[in-house]
Amino acid sequence: PQGRSKKKSRKHQRFMERRALLEQKGLLSPRRHPGSQGPVAEPEARSTLTKANGTTAPRCGKVAKPKRVISPSLSPSASPESIARHHSMLMSQGNGSSKGVQTSTPLLRPGKYVAIDCEMVGTGPQGRLSELARCSVVNYEGDVIYDKYVRPELPIVDYRTRWSGITKQHMKSAIPFKAAQAEILKILKDKIVVGHAIHNDFQALKYFHPKDRTRDTSQIPMLKQRAGLPGRASVSLKNLARHLLQKKIQVGCKGHSSVEDAQTAMELYRLVEVQWEMELARSLPPRPPSPITDPAADSSQYMDDQYWPTDLMASGL
């Protein structure tokens, strides 16, 4: 019995030494004796352990199972109807004030939004036929994700350099129309596409994009209202940029920049994004709520093992 007592004492001593070392390093809170008024350990200190490689892992015995938080994001396959309704839901959570949700798309899926602008040259008899010669696509943040010169299928009669900025030199590095069309349509697939008088761009691409996934800044009355312009007037991108963004575009004699125009269209869209999407949501027919956005959705599935970290499940701590 005396030998066992000594062995237990040494084991206890080693345990206390390790505990003191962990407390010294701040990895373990000091013990509180009954009746003491010492500080309460931080939740992080109680709920994590430090592994040998310096990373932290949850303590299985201390971590409560997470409650489901309704995610503000939508799945990659979310339909335009779901996106519009989600805009409306976010706004209603903020009591209808745009201050609560200054721009809701980052909370949704900014990767689903792109803006496009194309420059055309003249082909056919007297150069009256417009064909694609350059196409630029930017993402929600305005970063360029595509910008290439395109060789039309017919010989160029009029480069329209004053407006298009296209010259004969640009055609040396241009790619065939069919190749460009395939690349661009791959980018636009399942996206919500922003542009100004965007039907002209789609016509140059010989493509039709779904109307409910199209956002044409030339057709938004609220932009014209903000700019103090007549609601039925045909307003150019240049004028909207000057009135609403205090930005000068399409200046000089070197022609337009399709990158600049696409970025400007996206900026204008983001300016009235929440209000515009709410208007679209109101115009959509009612349908049963999606389980992705329904706050009352059953959360029991998130308690399954597959939703827990592998290292947490495998840990024997």
Side-chain angles (χ1 to χ4, degrees):
Q2 185 176 2
R4 284 198 299 271
S5 177
K6 289 182 178 180
K7 184 176 180 180
K8 183 176 180 181
S9 177
R10 285 195 298 271
K11 185 175 180 181
H12 180 70
Q13 185 178 358
R14 287 195 300 271
F15 168 77
M16 294 302 295
E17 289 173 354
R18 292 193 190 100
R19 183 182 183 91
L21 181 62
L22 290 173
E23 290 176 356
Q24 183 179 358
K25 290 184 176 181
L27 301 174
L28 191 65
S29 60
R31 284 187 300 172
R32 294 184 63 200
H33 297 286
S36 66
Q37 299 298 323
V40 179
E42 293 294 329
E44 290 83 3
R46 293 200 306 268
S47 62
T48 62
L49 282 179
T50 301
K51 297 180 180 180
N53 62 1
T55 60
T56 59
R59 295 175 66 140
C60 293
K62 299 291 183 180
V63 180
K65 291 186 177 182
K67 296 179 181 179
R68 186 191 178 197
V69 177
I70 302 301
S71 172
S73 62
L74 296 174
S75 70
S77 59
S79 65
E81 293 85 354
S82 299
I83 292 173
R85 285 195 176 88
H86 204 53
H87 270 283
S88 182
M89 186 190 76
L90 288 171
M91 289 298 295
S92 65
Q93 289 176 351
N95 296 323
S97 170
S98 59
K99 294 181 180 179
V101 187
Q102 293 184 0
T103 175
S104 57
T105 299
L107 297 176
L108 298 171
R109 291 199 63 81
K112 289 184 71 70
Y113 291 76
V114 295
I116 188 173
D117 188 75
C118 298
E119 301 298 342
M120 279 72 85
V121 293
T123 64
Q126 300 180 346
R128 292 179 179 175
L129 181 64
S130 294
E131 287 200 56
L132 182 68
R134 183 185 180 186
C135 181
S136 302
V137 183
V138 302
N139 63 14
Y140 183 84
E141 302 297 334
D143 301 320
V144 179
I145 57 178
Y146 188 90
D147 182 31
K148 289 186 181 182
Y149 291 98
V150 182
R151 188 183 309 114
E153 294 181 302
L154 296 176
I156 299 175
V157 177
D158 184 359
Y159 282 92
R160 304 177 184 174
T161 305
R162 180 181 173 185
W163 298 278
S164 69
I166 305 295
T167 64
K168 188 176 182 179
Q169 188 71 19
H170 292 135
M171 290 299 103
K172 293 181 179 180
S173 60
I175 65 173
F177 172 77
K178 289 294 184 183
Q181 183 191 48
E183 293 174 349
I184 297 164
L185 298 193
K186 187 175 181 180
I187 295 172
L188 301 187
K189 183 181 179 182
D190 298 327
K191 297 291 196 305
I192 292 179
V193 185
V194 180
H196 192 84
I198 200 169
H199 60 278
N200 293 322
D201 302 302
F202 291 151
Q203 186 175 2
L205 285 166
K206 299 180 181 179
Y207 167 70
F208 174 80
H209 196 69
K211 187 176 180 180
D212 60 354
R213 289 180 178 267
T214 302
R215 305 290 185 268
D216 190 340
T217 54
S218 71
Q219 302 296 324
I220 315 177
M222 60 191 70
L223 278 177
K224 298 176 185 179
Q225 291 169 6
R226 283 199 179 200
L229 300 170
R232 294 186 178 182
S234 177
V235 184
S236 68
L237 184 67
K238 182 177 182 177
N239 283 338
L240 286 176
R242 180 164 55 89
H243 282 91
L244 299 177
L245 304 174
Q246 289 72 54
K247 177 180 178 181
K248 292 183 179 180
I249 63 171
Q250 301 175 357
V251 295
C253 56
K254 293 185 178 180
H256 301 179
S257 165
S258 52
V259 169
E260 183 180 56
D261 289 355
Q263 290 171 335
T264 302
M266 182 61 83
E267 286 182 63
L268 289 170
Y269 167 74
R270 292 181 62 173
L271 197 63
V272 293
E273 173 190 359
V274 173
Q275 297 93 324
W276 194 7
E277 295 297 338
M278 285 187 68
E279 287 293 330
L280 290 176
R282 292 191 190 101
S283 66
L284 293 171
R287 75 175 188 181
S290 166
I292 299 173
T293 59
D294 184 9
D298 181 26
S299 61
S300 61
Q301 58 175 319
Y302 291 93
M303 297 297 103
D304 296 343
D305 290 349
Q306 59 179 313
Y307 294 100
W308 289 78
T310 306
D311 58 343
L312 180 62
M313 297 302 299
S315 175
L317 295 175

